[in-house]
Amino acid sequence: MIDGVELIQKTYSTMKERHEAARKAFGRPLTLTEKILAAHMPLPVDEDGKALVRKKSYANLFPDRVALQDATAQMALLQFMQAGKKEVAVPSTVHCDHLISAQKGAKPDLLRAIDENQEVYDFLQTVSQKYGLGFWKPGAGIIHQVVLENYAFPGGMMIGTDSHTPNAGGLGMVAIGIGGADAVDVMAGFPLNLRWPGVIGVKLTGTLSGFAAAKDVILKLMGILTVKGGTNHIVEFFGPGAASISATGKGTIANMGAEHGATTSVFAYDASMERYLRATNRGAWADLANAHKAELAADPEVYADPSKFYDQVVEIDLSSLDPHLVGPHTPDLAHPVQTMKDTVAKEGWPAEITSALIGSCTNSSYEDVSRAASLADAALKAGLKAKVPFLITPGSETIHLTIQRDGQMATFDKAGGSVLANACGPCIGQWDREDVKKGVKNAIVTSFNRNFRGRQDSNPETLAFIGSPEQVTAMAFSGRLDFDPRRDSIKTPDGKDFKFPAPSGDELPKQGFLVDKDGLIRPPADGSKVSVAVDPKSKRIALLAPFTAWDGKDITGARVLMKAKGKCTTDHISAAGKWLTFRGHLDNIANNTFIGATNAFSDKIGEGKSLLDGSTKSYPDVARGYKAAGVPWIAVGDENYGEGSSREHAAMQPRHLGGKAILVRSFARIHESNLKKQGMLPLTFANPADYDKVKEDDLVDIVGLAALAPGQQLTVKLTHADGTSDSFPVNHTMSGEQIEYFKAGSALNLVAKQQKS
Ligand code: MIC
Ligand code: SF4
């Protein structure tokens, strides 16, 4: 299997010719998105020269790489084992980052994680060895940072079983977050079947200065696009301002694009990417990219008249951009920091913060850490220390070693900060928080990307706000949620007023990176002798049994297990935190199904009524009761259902517990695709107001399945408890192939069937 510079050469070798074909097919100049996608599909025209792809139709794409993180890799690789392949068809890596929880600091936390998760790490390592995947050990770093440092390249395409895979867009790659079953397709040599995206152009003008950081670009954009504004679009950044942002800053912007729902975000190749490639020992890649500059940007006509080629154009002037905070509970509630004083008072939010956390996959570059450390250093020199717990998560061992050498770590240490393991830790709820009890209202600030209720510390009363590492660091010293470092000062121990200077720091280390040499275990040339041990009694890993195929009939007499009110993210459907333990064991993790969802009939969280006996129980218990009694059920949701994570558990668990369909106002992209893969029917109300017709005691029929076809509506019939009924049309977006998944019981059943025949 080719990798490294040869892989790039291969991709670049046919790029020009494919772009030309795509230009002909579309009959116009191309955006960067279209160029990269066209370079990763069989020629984008049919024999008559007609375009094979149209907006909203599905394209077959062949990504260059696959990356999996430990919490999603378990289920993905369990499925891959069923696909009957000898080895992965494209270069793939596994990264151990999500299962390390933050308790006492980097070293002890890592040792404890290795001990506690031994069984899972052993499983992932042996599967990797057997099927030819690279295995990045726990402690090596967070998937997206490691990918940026080692694998991402301009004009490339990758997929990752994590929603923040778009981070690699900072290096000009189309990097898409997907569920495990989609990754299995690509690792098995099949294409990624992707809905052809629209393209949103974001023009950046001016340059960042003072406290404004790359993070503020995406925080501002979140306020504009909201959590669903990017859905089924790729966001393409361009303009003079784009070139002024470092490659890792671009990574931050692309990473958090997951929060507005975009398929991914991407930047054109420029000097900042060249600098980053050279600093990470990939000079030969930069030389290749330099030789293909025109192919690694949109056609000039697009930049000359953006509104003609992009579906939507947003303009952000970096010179007048204010530092922002977003939150609480949703990443699209954007506040310029100077407005926080009034907003905090008006909303009754706690004015004091209880913790400040920087780092994570989104913001842990050398530049981020250096700029944050410059503020900590200035505060230290004025005699100040962090007022609240100040936690720092480096993104990779390479960053960790480098900031240890260059002194930023010592600065954080002196300021009272704690450097955690190179892992997800508090960002995914792996935070053993002892300072604030559950149920106590409090505010925290992070430089992460997610702030759903309960996400970091499982406390629904924690109000989490997101800002740049610079803003969060300044707040760690002031201790206040309404602190604007450009305006406010802090009293020093000797009674003076200390005002932060503007942050400063090197984009890249002057002495180069201290590279982590031990993080990766490469697979042997022939892994066929490696045996993958799964203890049948294990509580953490269980081999999968295939889901049952469709019985050819309409669904009749189904119950409404759950009707969600408001936000129902993947965290609400399949919680993380302590539940990460069971990511390789479908039946055990199913015990968290919908425990975070708000019941639209009672406003209670995580519980509903069983129509078998009228009792109120936790959703998983109600579902198990229905399954045992042979009663089918559906779940109902509102807008952007399944927002957030790529975890396919949120689709597999309902399926495992006997669910037949998920009926909502709208879906988040990855989750909708995961449902299709697992043989669940993802349906949307043709008329959104019909959501209100669904009652707790209804019997539900889904009619028309025998004629299921792309674009064809189905009918939902509700029989209410009082004998009256309602019936309305529902939509689906399944392609012909995806309908076959439903019929076979799952996509994997189909692959296994094809493999046998
Ligand atoms: C997240 O940030 O929510 C996660 C945890 O990284 C998820 C993946 C998971 O649930 O394991 C994601 O973003 O896809
Ligand atoms: Fe890990 Fe958080 Fe990044 Fe997800 S968003 S990959 S949990 S650091």
Side-chain angles (χ1 to χ4, degrees), residues 69 71-72 98 162-164 428 450 455 583 645-647:
Q69 46 90 339
T72 48
H98 280 62
D162 191 279
S163 68
H164 294 105
I428 179 62
R450 296 247 154 102
R455 160 97 178 179
R583 283 288 185 89
S645 162
S646 65
R647 62 190 77 141

Side-chain angles (χ1 to χ4, degrees), residues 86-107:
K86 251 189 85 203
E87 61 171 6
V88 289
V90 296
S92 307
T93 46
V94 170
H95 302 259
C96 295
D97 52 2
H98 280 62
L99 302 180
I100 302 170
S101 61
Q103 265 180 16
K104 298 201 162 66
K107 256 211 187 108

